[in-house]
Amino acid sequence: QVQLVESGGDSVQAGGSLRLSCVASGSLFSISDMGWYRQAPGKQRELVAIITSGGSTNYADSVKGRFTISRDNAKNTVYLQMNSLKPEDTAVYYCNADVRITVMPKLHEYWGQGTQVTVSS
């Protein structure tokens, strides 16, 4: 079984910064894409940023220029540096990973439990 554990969520004022981390552990062979999603109250979960195993990234338009996703493949860890935070960034942030659990190419999708980010004006 594979576990994703997020950390770094907190309450900050608008304009502040936070860094989220997500560590993958358990019986895994390799990790393909890793990403961050968020879900605000009453809204659907949405993609924030994604990074491939090779380091290519993609961002939601709403966070471009403010958030940076990165990963440390040796540590099976993905990060989300969030700068210039806005109240509309308030949400539960979830880590996501596509994982190969054996040498076979089939990917399995895993989610973390979520970490709360609250931005006050």
Side-chain angles (χ1 to χ4, degrees), residues 81-115:
Q81 178 65 43
M82 305 186 293
N83 298 329
S84 302
L85 282 161
K86 304 175 180 180
E88 50 263 43
D89 294 318
T90 295
V92 178
Y93 283 71
Y94 296 91
C95 176
N96 173 275
D98 291 326
V99 178
R100 289 173 64 191
I101 57 175
T102 70
V103 297
M104 301 299 289
K106 179 178 173 60
L107 293 173
H108 301 263
E109 184 180 45
Y110 292 92
W111 291 90
Q113 81 287 351
T115 186

